[in-house]
Amino acid sequence: MLRVGGARLLDDRDRWGVRSILEADPVAACMVAARVEVAGLDPWRLGGELWAVGARLDGLCFSGANLVPLRGGRSALRCFADRARRHGRTCSSVVGRAELVLPMWEQLAEHWAPAREVRADQPLMVLAGPPAVPPDPWVRQVRMDELDRYLPAAVAMFTEEVGVDPRAGDGGAGYRARVAELVAAGRAFARFEDGQVVFKAEIGALSAKVGQIQGVWVHPARRGEGLGTIGTAALVEPLARMGRIASLYVNAFNHPARAAYAKVGFTQIASFATILF
């Protein structure tokens, strides 16, 4: 085990200890748990590293495309920030429980380039069981031969939500590949009308216990019709059939989305925070 700045790099020998921690907080840890369940802790297969502080894994943090603190007090978060600072920023965001992300960001802010945006309050919501409203019968899984029709809606959602065009830098090849993965896995859903996407969403992470819904989007010309509510319900239903808890997180200022999710039956259990670069 490599020790740098008080934090150590974990490997597959630590897999069961890590899994027990992830299982204790299944909703907040869904993004990382989904990876660990499939890939273990080997960084190459995992697509990132898991760092720990303390012999009993008193602190735990994932470092990959996103930096995700999962557990730890202020001293552990300081150790993770030290290690992240030494490595240099390679992540596009710091995301997770607000009570972990915000203190960690305090340690990183003066050393990393200014954040493009700090979203300090993002309700983390869950729904165990079927939706409280009938799902949209026209929302279905997207087929691979529909990728080119689905992709413009995915780009529009990402640009609107994150504030940058996901095609920047490589002409969209990387983003197209990520969307294609979700489509191929049967985790991208849409309502098509005359060949155009009017609603879309994805199950972005799927662990043994939780499915995290992401990328909920309604075509601007169709907003206010309730498509977001019944469309989201159409993703909750298959998750309920699989025995998974449905989860998502939303910006606190997005009152229409929060109202729609409440109608579906979601309730808040915690708050996330995201630091965007």
Side-chain angles (χ1 to χ4, degrees), residues 75-145:
S75 61
L77 296 174
R78 189 177 303 111
C79 289
F80 295 141
D82 287 344
R83 187 179 180 104
R85 202 163 55 238
R86 290 169 186 259
H87 279 228
R89 185 179 69 79
T90 58
C91 61
S92 61
S93 70
V94 185
V95 60
R97 283 183 172 270
E99 65 268 27
L100 300 175
V101 167
L102 297 177
M104 189 170 178
W105 177 236
E106 288 177 8
Q107 301 292 323
L108 287 168
E110 65 179 281
H111 302 280
W112 282 2
R116 184 166 52 80
E117 188 175 354
V118 175
R119 298 182 177 179
D121 185 9
Q122 298 175 301
L124 177 64
M125 308 183 78
V126 298
L127 173 51
V133 298
D136 187 342
W138 297 103
V139 170
R140 57 171 176 80
Q141 291 172 314
V142 179
R143 302 188 305 265
M144 278 303 295
D145 64 355

Side-chain angles (χ1 to χ4, degrees), residues 21-44:
I21 291 172
L22 299 178
E23 288 169 1
D25 193 13
V27 177
C30 176
M31 289 182 285
V32 178
R35 290 172 171 267
V36 170
E37 288 168 7
V38 172
L41 271 60
D42 175 75
W44 186 83

